[in-house]
Every structure is written in structure tokens, then in C-alpha cells.
């Protein structure tokens, strides 16, 4: 396994946020992490990225405790895109992406033509090369989020961690961004808010509830009518189609007889 959480717990002061969570991320998979607000998704992503240290348990990167690795070593293997990373600096789109090369720079490794080529490729990959010279604060939310992905790609990671990357984007940009990520051929772990996005893009899904991992499997295995009702407190119907694919239809709250009409097609 490339990245593993082994019995990790984490607390905010005296308030437990994650409780004994264990998950192995498989090489090359797109693993989604879902759960209600406050279930611990963001905390788990921060632990996996090595930004926070678990109260108990450990995070392993290729079998090595991530706490034993330097931040530079981690950053060369793993890139993390937070929910809404912003800056007050007056930088251009290109300069934001250039930050992804930081783990490779040093006194003996100055900026080179190879770094320029990697940044150019990352900008091209996310369709933002034509806006490379535009100021960061003149960009839309969708454009900034694509640049965050480009910055992460410029790190040349093996693993990409995304914490609710589609927040504040319209539907077209949400789908386009997740499709872009899936096409990179990386190992991806993404905390997602939309259950249909998880069903559409993820190979496996981990469900968190009150800080505990309660389910882990393919979308078809874990996204059931009963579990969605229990965890998310909504009534749904689930359509199964294709090779293990599924989509979710929500019933309006309080709709008469909704619970009795639930079915799996």
C-alpha cells in the first residue's frame, strides 16, 4: 500500500474528531472520503498529508511512518490541495504554479529550464496556460482551483490529496475538475461533499460518521438506501447501471410516502 492510516485518532482540544480510523490507499486508485459535516473528513485529509500528527496511531507512506520523513521528502511524493487556499500576495497564475517546484529547489539546485517546462506542462494540463500572466486576484474561483491542481501537478507527486476540491464551483466546473484529476493517472484521495460525484468518479469510497470509519468499498457496495438514510438523514432511490456504476436520486424532505417508495433499480 502506498499510503495507510493505522488506527489513527485526533482531537481538537478535548473534543474527539477521529476515532481509530484505519484505511489503506491502493496504488493508482481514486478513493473518495464522504460523510456529514463534522464527520472528520478534513481532519483525516490533514493527517494523511502529514500536516497534523495523530493523537494515537500512525500514517505510513510506503510502509514508513510519515512523521519520520522530512517535509521535503513528503512533498516530493504527495501533494495536498486544501479546500480554499488563498493568498494576499500579488502573484500571477504562473507564479502560483511555480510554488509546486519548491521541494526540488535549493542552493545546489536553482531554478532551471526543466522547471519552466514542468510548470508549462502543468498549466497546459489544466487549460490555464493562456492565463499564466493574469494576476491571482483577477481569476475566478474555478480558475483558481484549476491552478491549485496545476501547482500540485508541478510537484510531480505520486499521490494527490484533495479536500473538497469542488466547493464554490458551478456544476460544469465541478465535473470538469474531477474528470481532470481522474485523467492524471495518479493515486488520488479526495474528500467529497456530493454523493453522486463520489459514485461517478471513485473506485472506492470510505464513509465517515462521527469520526469513525463505518464503510469502505466500491460505490455500489457502500452507497445503499439504508446507509444513506442512516448516515446523511435523507431518503433516496439508487439507480444501478453499467459495470458497477450507480446514481442517486433524492426525495424532498417530508414528501408524503417517500420512505415507502424507495427502491433500487
Amino acid at each position: 500500500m502506498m499510503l495507510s492510516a493505522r488506527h489513527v485518532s485526533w482531537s481538537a482540544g478535548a473534543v474527539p474528531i477521529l476515532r481509530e480510523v484505519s484505511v489503506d490507499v491502493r496504488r493508482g486508485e481514486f478513493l473518495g472520503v464522504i460523510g456529514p459535516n463534522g464527520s472528520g473528513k478534513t481532519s483525516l485529509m490533514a493527517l494523511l498529508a502529514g500536516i497534523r500528527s495523530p493523537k494515537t496511531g500512525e500514517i505510513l507512506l510506503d510502509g514508513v511512518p510519515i512523521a519520520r520523513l522530512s517535509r521535503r521528502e513528503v512533498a516530493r511524493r504527495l501533494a495536498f490541495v486544501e479546500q480554499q487556499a488563498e493568498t494576499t500576495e500579488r502573484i500571477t497564475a504562473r507564479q502560483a504554479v511555480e510554488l509546486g517546484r519548491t521541494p526540488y529547489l535549493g542552493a545546489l539546485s536553482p531554478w532551471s529550464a526543466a522547471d519552466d517546462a514542468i510548470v508549462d506542462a502543468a498549466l497546459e494540463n489544466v487549460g490555464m496556460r493562456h492565463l499564466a500572466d493574469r494576476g491571482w486576484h483577477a481569476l475566478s474561483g474555478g480558475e483558481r482551483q484549476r491552478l491549485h491542481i496545476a501547482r500540485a501537478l508541478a510537484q510531480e507527486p505520486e499521490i494527490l490529496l484533495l479536500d473538497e476540491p469542488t466547493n464554490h464551483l458551478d456544476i460544469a466546473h465541478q465535473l470538469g475538475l474531477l474528470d481532470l484529476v481522474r485523467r492524471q493517472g495518479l493515486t488520488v484521495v479526495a474528500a467529497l461533499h456530493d454523493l453522486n460525484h463520489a459514485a461517478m468518479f471513485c473506485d472506492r469510497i470510505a464513509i465517515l460518521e462521527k469520526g469513525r470509519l463505518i464503510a469502505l468499498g466500491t460505490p455500489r457496495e457502500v452507497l445503499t438506501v439504508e446507509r444513506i438514510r442512516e448516515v446523511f438523514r435523507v431518503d433516496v432511490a439508487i439507480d444501478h447501471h453499467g459495470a458497477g456504476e450507480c446514481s442517486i436520486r433524492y426525495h424532498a424532505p417530508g414528501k408524503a410516502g417517500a420512505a415507502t417508495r424507495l427502491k433500487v433499480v
Side-chain angles (χ1 to χ4, degrees):
M1 300 299 176
M2 296 187 69
L3 184 63
S4 300
R6 298 290 170 82
H7 307 291
V8 295
S9 299
W10 189 78
S11 300
V15 180
I17 304 298
L18 288 172
R19 306 165 186 261
E20 292 286 324
V21 173
S22 294
V23 60
D24 290 321
V25 183
R26 299 170 180 170
R27 188 177 299 273
E29 80 170 333
F30 194 132
L31 175 68
V33 180
I34 65 174
N37 289 343
S39 60
K41 298 187 299 294
T42 292
S43 297
L44 178 60
M45 298 302 293
L47 293 181
L48 291 173
I51 293 174
R52 293 176 178 167
S53 298
K55 181 177 180 181
T56 63
E58 60 183 354
I59 304 296
L60 303 177
L61 186 56
D62 269 349
V64 179
I66 202 169
R68 296 183 189 174
L69 302 174
S70 70
R71 289 307 306 165
R72 182 181 292 264
E73 289 177 295
V74 173
R76 289 183 175 184
R77 300 279 310 284
L78 182 156
F80 182 37
V81 177
E82 299 180 71
Q83 280 191 40
Q84 199 66 16
E86 290 296 342
T87 179
T88 58
E89 300 295 326
R90 297 181 65 84
I91 62 174
T92 65
R94 182 183 181 83
Q95 288 170 331
V97 178
E98 288 175 350
L99 293 172
R101 300 305 298 158
T102 302
Y104 300 93
L105 303 177
L108 301 179
S109 303
W111 190 272
S112 68
D115 295 301
D116 278 325
I118 290 168
V119 170
D120 286 341
L123 284 164
E124 185 71 31
N125 200 346
V126 302
M128 291 290 290
R129 193 167 181 177
H130 66 293
L131 296 178
D133 296 325
R134 182 169 294 184
W136 175 263
H137 296 289
L139 298 167
S140 70
E143 289 166 344
R144 292 181 189 181
Q145 200 68 341
R146 282 182 171 264
L147 288 173
H148 285 311
I149 300 296
R151 185 267 305 160
L153 296 178
Q155 286 181 230
E156 298 184 299
E158 300 171 55
I159 305 169
L160 183 59
L161 303 180
L162 307 169
D163 186 13
E164 299 198 13
T166 58
N167 272 7
H168 312 298
L169 301 183
D170 61 35
I171 294 173
H173 283 104
Q174 290 174 16
L175 296 174
L177 187 72
L178 291 173
D179 181 62
L180 169 68
V181 167
R182 185 171 60 177
R183 289 188 281 107
Q184 300 309 307
L186 301 172
T187 300
V188 178
V189 184
L192 298 172
H193 185 73
D194 190 292
L195 301 187
N196 275 308
H197 288 171
M200 185 181 303
F201 292 99
C202 297
D203 300 304
R204 290 192 302 155
I205 297 172
I207 301 181
L208 294 177
E209 183 182 26
K210 297 179 181 179
R212 298 188 185 278
L213 179 67
I214 63 166
L216 176 62
T218 66
R220 190 161 186 161
E221 290 170 340
V222 303
L223 295 177
T224 65
V225 168
E226 294 77 13
R227 181 171 286 121
I228 291 172
R229 183 192 296 122
E230 292 170 2
V231 175
F232 296 94
R233 304 294 188 267
V234 293
D235 286 336
V236 302
I238 300 177
D239 297 324
H240 289 158
H241 44 84
E245 297 179 0
C246 64
S247 57
I248 297 162
R249 293 180 285 121
Y250 296 95
H251 291 299
K255 188 173 181 180
T260 64
R261 292 196 303 275
L262 296 180
K263 63 177 181 178
V264 176
V265 179

